[in-house]
Each structure stands twice: as structure tokens, then as C-alpha cells.
Amino acid sequence: MNVDDFIQRFSAGLAKMKELSLPQARRTYVELCQTFAPPDPAGMQIENSALGGVSVRRFTPQQQTPGCVLFIHGGGFTIGSAESHHGPAASLAQMLEREVVSVNYRLAPEVDYPTMLADCRTVLEAIYPVALVGDSAGGRLAIDLAHQRNEAPPLGLIYPTVGALSLECLGEDAPLLSRGDVLGIRQQCPDIIATQRDRHPPATSIEMLTMERDPLTLPIEAAIANWREEGASVGYRCAPNMVHAALHAHALLPDMSAAWQDFCQKLKQRLN
């Protein structure tokens, strides 16, 4: 698959969702994301359960190192689940050789951002993870969870929302995520605006993955510069020609696959 094929297929799915009720759109999003997911790795154990009343999906690879990783899915704070992000979470568990716990935090508009964060914190405090990993909206939640801890574990962040999320700080429009889309997310969840919080590193050890064609990449790079100035160790790679949401097709897009493997390998080195 090439990136234009991915964009066309994913865009068609998103367009279909706009015509549906929110519950129907969420189910359609799961189906859309699953069309790009690879088969589960051989020998991986997958279990749905709950921790402190919060639904989770646990991925245990056949070759396992002690310590688990908390994974927080994306979806603009209104869609997404452990089901929609099953493929990335399973791949993460396989490459890190650690159990991954994917959290089904509640979503807007049913709840506000502090409630989402509280759901994630409930799971974090139940498992004491050796790393926090989040993509997009989940990356924002991972950053804010880390800010709440005196000594945060290593972070793995995939194109998170950072900073003011204003037109002045965002990059150019791109397929699958426009500047207007980002402003809409900001309006839906005003608590994610992090102008002050993102001036300081959320952890001393961070791995970051961004996409070349994504308006969020510009503010992310500004945040990385600030974090490095304050002494954080930040590994960074930008997947060439890739777009927001390409994580779902990490097994199908060569440039995305290469960037994802590098991200996971470097995060694994930090954990070891």
C-alpha cells in the first residue's frame, strides 16, 4: 500500500462517519481501523478486563520481560477505543516484549477531559507501568499523567497534541487532519490547551514519533526543543510523507513501518 491509497480509504471512512450518530460513528471507526491492522502476533495472549472499574485490554506477548506498559489510544477525545487501536497495541507489546495494558477511558461529550485523565490515572495506579505510551489524544493524556507524578516513567509519544493549539503555532493543513480539525478538538476539550504545561518536560526520558504531513508536528518540535533545553533526553523521528492516523497502517506503509520500528526499538532500549 502507498500513502495515497491509505489516505483515500481512511478519508472515505471518516466521511461516512459524519453522516452517523455518535455511537454508530464510533463503531464504524473501529471497523475502519481494523481493516488496516495486521494479524495478532503468534502466541500473544489477549484479555479484556477491568481495573478500578475502568475497562482495559491486556496484550501479553509470548516472549515477555517483567514490567507492563500503559497504552492510551487516540481518536480526538470523542472516538477510539482499545478495539480501534488493537493493532498498534499488539505490535507495541510484541516489539517491547512486555505486557501492554490498553485503557478504555471514557470519551467526550459524555465526560470532560479531567474525567478522561482520572480514568487513565486509575489504571496507571493499578499497574505501576514501566512506560506510558500514547498516540494523538492519548499522547496528551500520557503527558498530563506524567506531569502529575514526581518521577514519571519513560514516555513514548506518537503525534500528541501539545501547546496552545492555535493557528499561529500549527503547521499547514494536511490530509486526515486539518488546522480546523485541531481547533475543533480544542473547542470540544478546552482543558487540553497546554501552553504553560508544555514549557516543561513531562519526563526525563521521552521517545517521540511524528508525521511529516501533520499540522501537529510543528508545535511538537517546538515542545521538544524546550524539553531538551531543560535537560530531558528526547529521541525523535519524523516519518517521511506520512500523515496523522498512519499508525493504524504501520504494517502496510513502508515508511511508517520503519519509523514505528525505530520508535519501539529506542523505547525498548530506554526500558532495558
Side-chain angles (χ1 to χ4, degrees), residues 76-229:
F77 306 99
T78 61
I79 58 175
S81 63
E83 284 187 279
S84 65
H85 287 66
H86 181 108
S91 175
L92 185 70
Q94 183 73 4
M95 288 201 270
L96 295 184
E97 296 182 342
R98 282 178 168 83
E99 179 187 13
V100 165
V101 179
S102 180
V103 55
N104 266 318
Y105 57 91
R106 286 171 287 177
L107 301 170
E110 290 91 335
V111 303
D112 59 11
Y113 181 73
T115 302
M116 301 178 206
L117 191 61
D119 284 350
C120 296
R121 186 168 57 248
T122 294
V123 175
L124 180 149
E125 292 173 350
I127 64 175
Y128 296 100
V130 296
L132 307 180
V133 178
D135 85 286
S136 195
R140 177 72 261 162
L141 287 157
I143 290 169
D144 287 336
L145 278 181
H147 273 305
Q148 294 179 353
R149 301 182 69 83
N150 292 329
E151 294 185 10
L155 292 184
L157 304 172
I158 304 107
Y159 39 66
T161 57
V162 297
L165 301 180
S166 63
L167 289 176
E168 294 76 21
C169 75
L170 293 171
E172 296 300 317
D173 283 339
L176 304 186
L177 188 68
S178 69
R179 290 150 61 91
D181 293 333
V182 177
L183 296 182
I185 294 169
R186 167 183 166 153
Q187 184 176 11
Q188 182 77 258
C189 290
D191 292 299
I192 67 173
I193 300 170
T195 307
Q196 297 297 326
R197 298 199 299 279
D198 287 338
R199 290 179 181 172
H200 308 289
T204 58
S205 179
I206 302 168
E207 286 296 330
M208 181 74 77
L209 171 59
T210 64
M211 309 292 110
E212 181 180 14
R213 301 161 68 189
D214 185 341
L216 295 179
T217 296
L218 193 62
I220 289 169
E221 291 178 342
I224 290 173
N226 290 335
W227 297 347
R228 285 174 171 168
E229 285 182 5

Side-chain angles (χ1 to χ4, degrees), residues 32 36-37 52 54 77 83 108 143 162 166 192 225 236 239 253 257 262:
L32 173 64
F36 301 101
V54 179
F77 306 99
E83 284 187 279
I143 290 169
V162 297
S166 63
I192 67 173
Y236 177 58
L253 298 167
S257 177
D262 181 67

